[in-house]
Amino acid sequence: MARAGDDAELLAQIVEIYVAETPPLIEHLAAALDAGDPEKVFRTAHTIKGSSANLSAGDATAAAKAVELAARAGDLTGARAGMPALERALAELLAALAAASLPEAVT
């Protein structure tokens, strides 16, 4: 809540955007891996890392960073190897956000 300036409404909006935008980002990330495009993998993982960090979601941030760094190095095998941890961390985070009952955050 501190990242949102102790503003519950702002936090709810941030969560709502995260919940709406993260699943499509994972799909884009998988598609970029399938296409063998390290730049798209890097950019998408970087986006996920940043948005997860805004929620102080340590596991999701770390998992996205691992995929991001591998892609930056051109290591798509390493990036692909990091996907299960990222998908697991995001699934846990999204479930926790859905259960958190923040006002209007998840409908």
Side-chain angles (χ1 to χ4, degrees), residues 17-84:
I17 292 167
Y18 187 89
V19 168
E21 292 184 358
T22 300
L25 285 172
I26 288 296
E27 291 176 14
H28 293 305
L29 186 55
L33 280 166
D34 289 344
D37 189 337
E39 179 61 27
K40 280 188 181 178
V41 173
F42 166 76
R43 283 185 285 134
T44 306
H46 180 77
T47 299
I48 294 169
K49 179 186 78 173
S51 60
S52 297
N54 284 336
L55 293 176
S56 299
D59 291 345
T61 302
K65 183 177 181 179
V67 173
E68 174 192 27
L69 291 176
R72 179 189 291 164
D75 179 10
L76 290 180
T77 301
R80 191 171 281 108
M83 285 297 290

Side-chain angles (χ1 to χ4, degrees), residues 3 7 13 24 26 44-46 58 82 87-89 92-93:
R3 284 190 178 259
D7 183 334
Q13 290 174 349
I26 288 296
T44 306
H46 180 77
E87 290 169 335
R88 185 173 39 257
E92 290 172 3
L93 176 58

